[in-house]
């Protein structure tokens, strides 16, 4: 349409039909085409009404203003602007517009009521505002007065933090010179006051771009970074949260709110974001920054630089960091804590830097970008290699080691640089302990790839063995041990491990357990002990001894709660080995014979890897508190808890859930809650394993206890994901049991199962040849038919759903009969149409019904009689058809039986059927 008047009429029709989106389109098109001023005012006024309905108040006010600009006495436009301004919190402006409306139409009661309401609201707002202003002033007076009572100061600080989190309170603090006063609190150098001030500022910045930008400029990024650099964990974290709140606003990730005139300002955030990024990168290499502060800077970069969604094509932030800060990140990963010139670090600093390297590399979109990244790394490493300066060369090796813990493919390419591998092996033979320490760690990380492991086996194993035997430095000794273990298990079996350990894996494992339990050794060295055990527990004797060592288990679980990427992976791997939850290849007998004939080594199942021993180990781990440790591991930050670690944890959980008797313990210790995120995120295998573990819990547990509150609805999707042909029969079966349990709880849960599109899958399993699958699916459907939406699917024409249920009632499998008869009884009770439809879907319906009514199983018999009663109650003609069949004789026989407590419910239904037939006058009482 090209006619504005027609478009206006079309918009009016859409508006009356409550289709505001289409009405908007019509009015907008008309505004573009129209040239008449009077009509233009009407169109803007009408579009304003649409925006009001869509709760887009800023746009509603804008359109109403345009209509008023054309016609100042447009009463509808004035009133709509008043409504929009009220919603935007601009009560004084809304009052003025309402006042004009009341002046134009003094007798309009609606306008008078609006004026009264707005007047009362303005008075209340002024009262609160003056009250808030005085409260804010009083709080600052108490906080800045050194003679104030400590308890009063604490209370004032807490109140200020709470006020800063409220929009009205934050604005009053901001308007009353609050930022300057908060800065004075920070300058007192009192930790409690600094925390209160920073947390208040953080609340003020949350979700308000203009205020966050103003606070950033007033405080200055240099000052903020200086506060974050202090060696105080609480203050450093609080400042980090403040900077994150500011960054969220600048990136547009805060909560969306309209703040009046601020909406008209175009804030250029790119310059501020670049400034923040550059200061964070500078913090990485500054000696003035504490280890805590460096960690915070790395965490902020990790969180805000790489893209959240790879579908977003803009990776300019990552490219900026690579060009301006990659060398600074490499300097951090290249630090050697044992050397005097090392930057202040925490135990997690270098690993967090490796994670950042990995995230930046993954965020690159094409080969030229990756090549640029690699070239910068290569040039930086080459600049550190100096044959005349061993300390510099050592840093180069440490950088390669750090990259191998981040973007492994890149690290593998760096290992291919001329002389790097040879340099590592050579350093192992050095007399200096620091050289040996760094080189052994680098060899461990390098040997992950079998091709590199082969080089090290050829050139470095003898050196590692020599270091292990001769060194008295525990830190080096344990790393040499881990290196040997890693190389020995490179083939994925314990055979190679035994070869390198010279048959003494139990002895090496005992030494690892000793290191693990020694709290006098630094945590980093104890973590290496866990990594050693992650390889040694491939040996069945080792894993059996380990689970019997309660202090070692407890020490490992305590370390796991520290949330370190390497330790999480090592602990998870060790637990997978102890529970035998890794994948095993089924040996083909013919190939085994062939291997033996050619004198090849054939791996045989160790006696302690048989089911009985595995079950004992699982019980021992549960007793030692493995579930609590696993739940803590799952809560770790996403940068630390990798998808591979998630998969390993899911495997362990599945092994722990094997025995139904243990599932209550797992639920009580938070296992059910911990499994939900594992079933949603991670590798495909990990998600399947976690979903299967959830299915095992859901099958037998009370959902209200296992998954309290809204959490139960999150479990439905993982269970439904197991209902496909790619999953094995046990996974299908236990998922169906879980869904059956859920569908019997509430209609809201039934609706969630339907929403996840599980109905068609459940129906397919009702056709299965496998008895248990067919039974589980039928039981699930029996619970689902209580829902009206499911009932309507059965009523709809052109489907065989009802026929399937009727035929299942005639199955020989008693459990299937019970479930199918229950479903049919509920369907025929809820939908009368299905009573007549039942007689049309199959010629066997009457024979099946009679068999149900005569069944030996009282539960099946009762459900059959209920179906008969539903059919008789539904229609007189249908009742007549049943009376004319042998069913009357069956009903009479059952109805005449003497009262019996166990059978009374069956006899009662039969008598109800006969009574109904008498009401229809189809049969007469015997007395007549």
């Amino acid at each position: 349409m090209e006619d504005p008047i027609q478009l206006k009429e079309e918009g009016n029709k859409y508006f009356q039909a409550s289709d505001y989106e289409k009405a908007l389109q019509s009015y907008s098109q008309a505004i573009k085409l129209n040239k008449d001023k009077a009509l233009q005012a009407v169109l803007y006024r009408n579009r304003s009404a649409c925006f009001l309905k869509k709760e887009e108040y800023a746009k509603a006010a804008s359109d109403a203003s345009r209509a008023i600009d054309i016609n100042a006495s447009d009463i509808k436009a004035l009133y709509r602007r008043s409504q929009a301004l009220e919603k935007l919190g601009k009560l004084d402006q809304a009052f003025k517009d309402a006042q004009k409306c009341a002046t134009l139409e003094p007798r309009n009661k609606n306008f008078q009521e609006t004026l009264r309401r707005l007047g009362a609201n303005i008075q209340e707002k002024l009262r609160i505002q003056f009250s808030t202003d005085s409260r804010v002033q009083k709080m600052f007076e108490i906080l800045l007065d050194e003679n104030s009572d400590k308890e009063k100061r604490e209370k004032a600080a807490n109140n200020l933090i709470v006020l800063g989190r409220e929009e009205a309170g934050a604005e009053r603090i901001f308007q009353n010179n609050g930022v300057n006063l908060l800065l004075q609190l920070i300058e007192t150098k009192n930790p409690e006051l600094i925390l209160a001030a920073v947390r208040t500022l953080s609340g003020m910045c949350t979700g308000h771009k203009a205020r966050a930008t103003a606070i950033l400029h007033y405080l200055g990024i240099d000052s903020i970074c200086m506060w974050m650099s202090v060696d105080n964990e609480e203050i450093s974290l609080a400042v980090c949260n403040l900077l994150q709140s500011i960054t969220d606003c600048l990136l547009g990730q805060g909560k969306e709110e309209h703040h009046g005139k601020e909406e008209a300002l175009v804030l250029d955030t790119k310059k501020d974001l670049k400034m923040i990024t550059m200061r964070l990168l500078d913090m990485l290499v500054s000696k003035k920054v504490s280890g805590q502060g460096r960690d915070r800077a790395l965490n902020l970069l990790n969180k805000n630089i790489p893209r959240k969604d790879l579908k977003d094509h803009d990776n300019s932030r990552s490219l900026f960091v690579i060009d301006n800060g990659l060398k600074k990140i490499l300097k951090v990963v290249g630090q050697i804590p044992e050397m005097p010139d090392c930057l202040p670090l925490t135990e997690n600093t270098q690993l967090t830097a490796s994670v950042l390297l990995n995230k930046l590399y993954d965020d690159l979109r094409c080969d030229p970008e990756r090549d640029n990244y690699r070239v910068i790394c290569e040039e930086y490493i080459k600049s550190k290699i100096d044959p005349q300066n061993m300390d510099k060369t050592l840093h180069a090796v440490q950088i390669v080691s750090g990259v191998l813990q981040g973007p492994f493919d890149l690290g593998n390419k760096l290992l291919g640089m001329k002389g790097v591998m040879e340099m590592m092996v050579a350093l192992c033979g050095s007399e200096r302990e620091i050289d040996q320490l760094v080189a052994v760690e680098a060899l461990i990380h390098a040997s992950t790839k079998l091709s590199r492991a082969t080089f090290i086996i050829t050139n470095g194993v003898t050196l590692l063995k020599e270091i292990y035997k001769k060194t008295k430095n525990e830190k080096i000794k344990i790393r040499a041990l881990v290196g040997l273990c890693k190389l020995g298990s490179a083939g994925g079996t314990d055979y190679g491990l035994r070869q390198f350990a010279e048959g003494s894996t139990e002895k090496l494992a005992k030494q690892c357990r000793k290191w693990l339990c020694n709290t006098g050794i630094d945590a980093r060295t104890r973590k290496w002990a866990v990594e050693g055990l992650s390889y040694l527990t491939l040996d069945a004797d080792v894993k059996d001894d380990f689970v019997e060592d309660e202090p070692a288990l407890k020490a490992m679980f305590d370390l796991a709660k520290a949330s370190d990427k390497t330790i999480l992976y090592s602990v998870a791997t060790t637990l997978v080995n102890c529970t035998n939850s890794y994948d095993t290849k089924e040996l083909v007998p013919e190939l085994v014979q062939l291997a033996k004939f050619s004198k090849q080594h054939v791996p045989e199942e160790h006696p302690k890897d048989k089911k009985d021993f595995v079950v004992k180990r699982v019980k021992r781990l549960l007793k030692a508190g493995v579930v609590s440790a696993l739940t803590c591991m799952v809560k770790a930050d996403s940068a630390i808890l990798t998808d591979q670690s998630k998969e390993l944890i899911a495997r362990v959980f599945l092994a722990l859930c094997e025995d139904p008797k243990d599932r209550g313990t797992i639920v009580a210790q938070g296992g059910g809650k911990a499994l939900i995120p594992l079933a949603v995120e991670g590798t495909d295998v990990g998600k399947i394993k976690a979903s299967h573990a959830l299915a095992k819990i859901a099958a037998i547990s009370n959902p209200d206890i296992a998954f309290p509150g809204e959490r139960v609805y999150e479990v439905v999707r993982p269970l439904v994901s197991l209902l496909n042909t790619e999953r094995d029969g046990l996974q299908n079966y236990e998922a169906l049991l879980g869904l059956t349990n859920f569908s019997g709880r509430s209609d809201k849960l039934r609706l969630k199962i339907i929403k996840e599109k599980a109905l068609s899958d459940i129906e397919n399993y009702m056709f299965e040849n496998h008895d248990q699958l067919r039974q589980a699916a039928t039981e699930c459907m029996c619970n689902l038919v209580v829902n009206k939406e499911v009932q309507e699917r059965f009523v709809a024409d052109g489907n065989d759903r009802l026929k399937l249920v009727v035929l299942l009632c005639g199955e020989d499998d008693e459990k299937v009969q019970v479930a199918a008869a229950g479903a049919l009884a509920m369907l025929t009770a809820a939908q009368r149409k299905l009573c007549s439809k039942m007689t049309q879907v199959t010629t066997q319906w009457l024979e099946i019904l009679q068999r149900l009514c005569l069944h030996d199983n009282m539960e099946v018999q009762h459900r059959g009689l209920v179906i008969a009663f539903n059919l008789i109650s539904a229609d007189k003609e249908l009742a007549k058809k049943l009376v004319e069949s042998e069913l009357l004789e069956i009903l009479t026989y059952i109805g005449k039986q003497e009262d019996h407590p166990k059978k009374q419910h069956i006899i009662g239904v039969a008598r109800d059927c006969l009574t109904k037939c008498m009401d229809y006058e189809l049969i007469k009482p015997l007395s007549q």
Side-chain angles (χ1 to χ4, degrees), residues 397-413:
V397 173
Q398 185 79 330
I399 291 164
V400 174
S401 184
V403 176
L404 283 163
Q405 294 174 74
F408 187 81
D409 289 340
L410 173 64
N412 213 27
K413 288 176 183 175

Side-chain angles (χ1 to χ4, degrees), residues 82 95 108 238 267 272 403 470 498 557 571 588 652 714 742 745-746 777 792 797 893 922:
S82 174
F95 185 84
N108 189 313
L267 297 168
D272 288 331
V403 176
K470 289 185 176 180
R498 281 185 173 277
F557 294 158
V571 170
V588 181
V652 178
E714 296 175 46
F742 280 17
R745 304 302 296 182
S746 69
E792 286 165 7
D797 294 328
Y893 167 74
L922 297 173

Side-chain angles (χ1 to χ4, degrees), residues 848-886:
I848 290 168
L849 182 58
Q850 289 168 355
R851 280 178 61 194
L852 290 176
C853 294
L854 287 169
H855 208 283
D856 294 335
N857 183 318
M858 286 196 291
E859 195 175 359
V860 176
Q861 187 181 23
H862 177 253
R863 294 180 180 200
L865 288 166
V866 170
I867 295 165
F869 178 77
N870 293 339
L871 296 180
I872 291 166
S873 303
D875 182 64
K876 185 177 179 180
E877 288 300 313
L878 195 50
K880 187 178 178 183
K881 194 181 288 186
L882 292 176
V883 167
E884 290 169 355
S885 72
E886 292 176 3

